Amino acid sequence: MAYLHEFRDRKSAQALLSTIRNESRPDRDYRLMEFCGGHTHAIWRYGLREALPDNIRFIHGPGCPVCVLPISRIDMARTIASFPGVLLASYGDTLRVPASGGRSLLHSKAGGADVRMVLSTLDCLRLARENPGKTVVFFAIGFETTTPPTAVAILEAKRQGIPNFRVFSNHVLTPAALRSLLLDTTPEKQVRIDGFIGPSHVSSIIGTLPYEPIVREFSKPLVIAGFEPLDVLLAVLMLIRQINDGRAELENEYTRVVTPSGNPEARALVDRVFTLRESFEWRGLGLIPNSALAIRPAFRDFDAEDLFSVSCPSVSDPRVCECPDILRGIKTPEECRVFGTVCTPENPVGSCMVSSEGACAAAYTYGVRRTPDLEVRP
Amino acid sequence: MCLAIPVKVIRLKEGSMATVDAGGVQTDISVALVSDVTVGEYVIVHVGFALSRLDPDEAEKTLKILAQGGIDGLPA
């Protein structure tokens, strides 16, 4: 595919790796957090961790919407799905995340609830038109990338007069999470990060400008990068140069898509429909102020939270699951006791094993797995 | 989740929709989020919506930097 395969070229990768080997200092290590699950996936899938010198470490960040969705919100979605006359639709991975009692929305579906997988919010509008007797609830998750399509669906439902379409909004904001990671000074939650690989497609919407104050305030280099392996390698080189020079600047590797101002039209549509929530719970990061979006009162006819007024208490993660620490970069997937044994992509215990861009699922699928110690008795 | 791919616009349709070519597969997407999309342009598509244009000149610049291993010049 044009503009995709060129950014996976082996020869260019070898040239970049050679430059990185020459320019990285052997007397120090470089701890780089890739914020997005898309980058985590690319790093594992293309073996970048093994290809790079050992002193360049990737610390996987919380930028995977399925992974950071707290159990209570999935419990709420399961409650909504259980009401008679409701058809609940969401993007694929969301349906597989285990909530309270290890039950996911797929369990709801197996139990008779009408739960559907959709690829686009346009599918939800079609479902609403085709099922006039049902209330079609879109369980909306995602960062700034995924929010504009939800806003368009709500505006279209209003314009076309589709009365049976509702959105259960769980849209969250990237800069707020980045700031929260850097602000937390609890000693046991401290993890040294020398620089950030910044979001690709989130930045196509928000642009580069929202990262400026964070880079300045915390003096951390941040390089916005595309999701292809050569994009990641070039961003690593740019970060190493900044760190070697003692600079902490905002740079953009993904200039073919990301501009300083992003997509103001998309943001204007989001602003029309959504408003900031005072606070929202993130798995692993806890309550973060001004980090998520709710539907404005003017569009309450399309707000599932307004119609159903469900609330579910905050629920702790299963005790054996290390997802909260993995999402903060404190632990690696391999450091979790149940990784690859009890917890697998087919039978996930925690959210990081569900989405293909979750750190655990990526490590399980593409990494070298330890085999459980089996005691062989004669 | 935020994965998005470059596709080529091959036909504009009513209601802010467009037919695009995604590596030989034709599909319809919404172009409601990107104004004045024209046939032949590349856009980045995510969950059935174009999010932004892809700038071919910038792509070429980056590819040149990549081809020589990032030794000279970096994206600005």
Side-chain angles (χ1 to χ4, degrees):
Chain A
M1 273 173 82
Y3 300 115
L4 209 61
H5 294 306
E6 303 94 305
F7 292 90
R8 297 175 183 173
D9 178 63
R10 176 187 287 264
K11 260 173 73 181
S12 297
Q14 281 162 345
L16 273 172
L17 285 166
S18 150
T19 313
I20 290 170
R21 273 191 291 271
N22 288 336
E23 295 195 20
S24 57
R25 287 173 23 197
D27 60 326
R28 64 159 297 158
D29 63 345
Y30 299 85
R31 296 170 58 87
L32 311 177
M33 175 178 272
E34 83 280 6
F35 184 87
C36 293
H39 286 129
T40 306
H41 184 85
I43 286 163
W44 282 99
R45 178 174 174 191
Y46 295 101
L48 303 185
R49 206 173 67 142
E50 285 74 21
L52 284 163
D54 286 344
N55 60 335
I56 298 168
R57 310 255 186 87
F58 289 111
I59 300 159
H60 310 313
C64 157
V66 172
C67 307
V68 294
L69 192 64
I71 288 175
S72 61
R73 300 295 289 186
I74 305 163
D75 284 343
M76 284 166 77
R78 292 193 67 229
T79 307
I80 292 172
S82 72
F83 293 141
V86 165
L87 185 166
L88 186 127
S90 195
Y91 298 128
D93 284 343
T94 318
L95 307 183
R96 300 178 50 233
V97 187
S100 289
R103 316 292 283 174
S104 69
L105 278 159
L106 285 183
H107 287 105
S108 303
K109 187 179 173 71
D114 194 349
V115 174
R116 316 264 185 114
M117 188 196 294
V118 288
L119 299 175
S120 168
T121 54
L122 299 176
D123 294 343
C124 294
L125 294 182
R126 182 180 46 77
L127 283 172
R129 278 191 301 265
E130 288 171 2
N131 296 277
K134 289 203 157 182
T135 303
V136 173
V137 178
F138 177 51
F139 182 20
I141 71 156
F143 287 103
E144 290 89 336
T145 326
T146 316
T147 313
T150 307
V152 170
I154 290 175
L155 290 167
E156 272 301 297
K158 184 160 186 147
R159 193 182 66 82
Q160 296 177 27
I162 301 175
N164 59 328
F165 174 64
R166 298 266 169 169
V167 171
F168 176 40
S169 172
N170 294 272
H171 287 301
V172 285
L173 303 171
T174 306
L178 194 55
R179 180 173 285 278
S180 145
L181 264 181
L182 288 163
L183 271 178
D184 198 328
T185 51
T186 323
E188 63 269 24
K189 288 184 180 168
Q190 280 294 298
V191 48
R192 197 191 99 211
I193 299 166
D194 298 317
F196 287 93
I197 298 175
S200 324
H201 297 120
V202 162
S203 307
S204 76
I205 301 294
I206 71 172
T208 65
L209 298 176
Y211 305 103
E212 291 264 15
I214 299 176
V215 169
R216 255 202 317 271
E217 184 180 342
F218 298 97
S219 292
K220 297 280 182 200
L222 187 146
V223 178
I224 292 162
F227 279 147
E228 296 309 317
L230 295 187
D231 291 316
V232 177
L233 287 178
L234 185 54
V236 167
L237 177 61
M238 292 165 79
L239 283 168
I240 285 173
R241 284 179 178 160
Q242 283 207 42
I243 295 164
N244 286 352
D245 296 349
R247 288 182 289 130
E249 292 168 11
L250 170 65
E251 293 181 314
N252 180 13
E253 181 278 337
Y254 198 31
T255 52
R256 63 188 185 277
V257 170
V258 175
T259 59
S261 61
N263 184 341
E265 294 161 286
R267 288 202 307 276
L269 293 177
V270 170
D271 281 346
R272 262 179 75 189
V273 174
F274 291 99
T275 180
L276 266 185
R277 285 181 199 270
E278 268 179 31
S279 178
F280 194 74
E281 184 189 351
W282 294 55
R283 192 183 291 223
L285 304 180
L287 286 170
I288 307 179
N290 303 320
S291 67
L293 299 173
I295 295 169
R296 285 188 186 280
F299 292 92
R300 63 184 296 181
D301 289 351
F302 301 96
D303 190 352
E305 280 179 270
D306 188 78
L307 179 68
F308 298 107
S309 61
V310 265
S311 67
C312 288
S314 177
V315 182
S316 311
D317 288 278
R319 231 183 313 163
V320 290
C321 172
E322 300 282 9
C323 277
D325 280 356
I326 290 167
L327 284 165
R328 306 183 59 94
I330 298 168
K331 288 200 171 146
T332 64
E334 295 90 338
E335 285 171 324
C336 176
R337 264 187 301 160
V338 291
F339 172 77
T341 53
V342 177
C343 182
T344 62
E346 292 74 35
N347 193 13
V349 175
S351 58
C352 298
M353 194 54 103
V354 174
S355 169
S356 66
E357 60 190 34
C360 297
Y364 183 89
T365 309
Y366 301 111
V368 180
R369 281 202 300 281
R370 67 168 183 211
T371 43
D373 298 325
L374 292 178
E375 203 178 315
V376 183
R377 289 179 189 186
Chain B
M1 185 84 201
C2 293
L3 288 184
I5 55 162
V7 297
K8 189 177 185 176
V9 178
I10 54 176
R11 199 176 311 118
L12 295 171
K13 301 174 82 170
E14 271 185 19
S16 299
M17 297 294 287
T19 304
V20 296
D21 181 285
V25 178
Q26 291 195 3
T27 184
D28 285 352
I29 65 161
S30 165
V31 289
L33 298 169
V34 184
S35 60
D36 307 322
V37 169
T38 55
V39 170
E41 277 189 308
Y42 278 84
V43 293
I44 299 288
V45 65
H46 168 71
V47 296
F49 284 77
L51 293 183
S52 66
R53 287 188 171 77
L54 185 142
D55 183 334
D57 297 336
E58 286 295 333
E60 280 313 312
K61 277 192 218 166
T62 308
L63 284 171
K64 274 196 190 128
I65 294 166
L66 292 171
Q68 43 86 28
I71 291 170
D72 296 319
L74 286 176

